Amino acid sequence: MPVTSGRDVDVLVIGGGQAGLAAGFYLNRLRRDEASGRSGPAPTFAILDANAEPGGAWQYYWNSLELFSPAAYSSLPGYQMPAWQGEGNPSADHVANYLRTYESRYDLPVHRPVRVEAVRMGEGGGYVVDTDHGRWTSRVVINATGSWNTPDIPRLPGSDGFTGQQLHTTGYRGPESYAGRNVVVVGGGNSGAQIAADLVPTAHVTWVTRTPPRYLPDDVDGRALFDIATRRVKALAAGEPGTGGVASLGDIVAVPAVRKARDAGLLDARPMFARLLPGGVQEEDGGKLDADVIIWCTGFRPDLQHLQPLGLTLRNGVPATDAQLPAQSVDSPGLFFLGYGDWCGPASATLIGVGATARDAVAAAAGLPVR
């Protein structure tokens, strides 16, 4: 959809990845209900996406990345992901293509590339949204920008003196350019394990984690993680202790490639090093490891800098949200968050999990009862 210079809508969705598209699906369904006479006026809406092409962050992932679950359990609301014909679970490219089809299938009003620079309260209520393509105004903002553009890279002693290559997960595309090189992969989560497993056949890999790797049971996939996260969030909202959640089981989903490398003894992690040296790293005990490349698989922060003018209350480092409707801001009831993790909805950072939170956020935005 071509970029316009500005517009006033009821609901403005910021972000056109999986979370933004899920919100668009439910907003679009209200529009279809209105056209069929099944409901009253539907809110007007638009989706702003900073990417030049559809597909969300999935279009930037490394080639061998695969989902935690089969396609049948990795779908957004309304349209099931097509079956994956390769080995294992669907690839990142498969997901990106699915999101492109999803956006087109529902003719969602996505405007791109549009980068949101600041969100402010309007003088008469609602929100004023400044972008690099003009100003928008809306009654409601659904923020679904994800975290891909805000990688979290720690600063360690010696970082500036390291003479090799440093990159984050966001810069990794595949093992081809690292063949025969000494690569240190930092991070004990899924990205660290998958990238280390991807590299071990061709590079000299040292996998470094702050704590010993914790694998989830081999039979746990994305569907099980969603169920566990949902039960925990519902229990906490009801004031019940609930369970320990996903984190109590482990940190790493043993997808086939990771399981194969682990079982072959190729994923033996070393403790986190103390500092960087010009040609490597120095461990806590004084030992040294050669390194041509350091890949930081150290996570992300929510991409929320454009919301700073709102002065939101932070809770555990993220905007405080309502206990009963985790997607809704406690400071600004017309502001909703989608797709960042359990703090804004059970498993909302996953394809299978974001739909329920998007449904509730859209219902609240439209003034309808929340399930």
Side-chain angles (χ1 to χ4, degrees):
M1 179 171 291
V3 171
T4 61
S5 60
R7 189 173 292 178
D8 177 60
V9 293
D10 292 320
V11 180
L12 189 64
V13 181
I14 304 176
Q18 61 194 42
L21 296 183
F25 169 83
Y26 285 108
L27 287 162
N28 196 49
R29 190 164 74 174
L30 292 177
R31 187 167 59 182
R32 296 197 306 272
D33 289 346
E34 176 191 15
S36 65
R38 292 197 298 267
S39 70
T44 58
F45 74 99
I47 302 172
L48 307 183
D49 186 32
N51 293 304
E53 300 292 335
W58 292 97
Q59 63 191 296
Y60 305 117
Y61 280 113
W62 62 95
N63 295 333
S64 66
L65 181 142
E66 64 177 84
L67 291 179
F68 298 155
S69 301
Y73 300 108
S74 305
S75 300
L76 293 178
Y79 174 54
Q80 184 165 304
M81 181 183 291
W84 169 245
Q85 302 302 324
E87 296 182 0
N89 292 327
S91 69
D93 280 347
H94 189 77
V95 179
N97 288 331
Y98 166 68
L99 295 182
R100 295 184 189 105
T101 302
Y102 191 94
E103 181 179 318
S104 175
R105 176 185 180 92
Y106 294 108
D107 192 25
L108 297 178
V110 181
H111 299 256
R112 65 166 59 89
V114 178
R115 182 168 296 279
V116 172
E117 298 170 342
V119 178
R120 299 179 175 85
M121 296 301 301
E123 292 184 4
Y127 300 89
V128 175
V129 179
D130 291 319
T131 81
D132 60 353
H133 283 82
R135 174 169 289 180
W136 293 69
T137 58
S138 65
R139 179 179 55 83
V140 169
V141 165
I142 296 179
N143 201 79
T145 48
S147 57
W148 185 256
N149 293 319
T150 48
D152 190 5
I153 303 176
R155 293 288 298 173
L156 269 67
S159 292
D160 294 334
F162 180 68
T163 56
Q165 178 187 3
Q166 293 189 65
L167 65 152
H168 188 266
T169 306
T170 56
Y172 181 73
R173 292 294 177 271
E176 294 78 16
S177 59
Y178 305 101
R181 304 175 74 185
N182 296 313
V183 182
V184 174
V185 179
V186 184
N190 287 296
S191 294
Q194 287 200 31
I195 288 177
D198 198 35
L199 286 166
V200 290
T202 57
H204 305 294
V205 178
T206 301
W207 184 28
V208 173
T209 63
R210 290 198 178 277
T211 59
R214 299 191 311 144
Y215 295 94
L216 280 83
D218 288 357
D219 60 346
V220 172
D221 62 8
R223 178 179 50 165
L225 296 179
F226 169 66
D227 291 340
I228 294 168
T230 300
R231 288 197 298 270
R232 175 164 175 75
V233 170
K234 287 182 177 179
L236 292 175
E240 302 170 358
T243 66
V246 173
S248 67
L249 298 180
D251 303 312
I252 300 168
V253 178
V255 297
V258 168
R259 193 181 313 151
K260 179 180 178 181
R262 179 201 64 190
D263 293 348
L266 300 176
L267 287 184
D268 291 330
R270 299 178 70 95
M272 184 62 191
F273 50 84
R275 63 181 296 113
L276 278 69
L277 303 172
V281 299
Q282 180 176 312
E283 298 182 291
E284 289 285 356
D285 63 3
K288 298 179 182 179
L289 298 172
D290 292 337
D292 303 310
V293 182
I294 298 176
I295 303 178
W296 298 96
C297 303
T298 45
F300 300 82
R301 301 181 307 276
D303 187 0
L304 305 175
Q305 61 270 17
H306 54 286
L307 301 179
Q308 289 182 357
L310 297 176
L312 300 174
T313 300
L314 299 183
R315 184 184 297 154
N316 298 322
V318 296
T321 56
D322 186 89
Q324 300 302 317
L325 183 56
Q328 189 170 34
S329 168
V330 298
D331 298 306
S332 190
L335 175 64
F336 297 84
F337 298 93
L338 281 183
Y340 301 97
D342 289 352
W343 64 270
C344 60
S348 69
T350 67
L351 287 157
I352 191 175
V354 72
T357 305
R359 178 198 65 209
D360 292 346
V362 166
L368 300 172
V370 176
R371 297 184 189 179

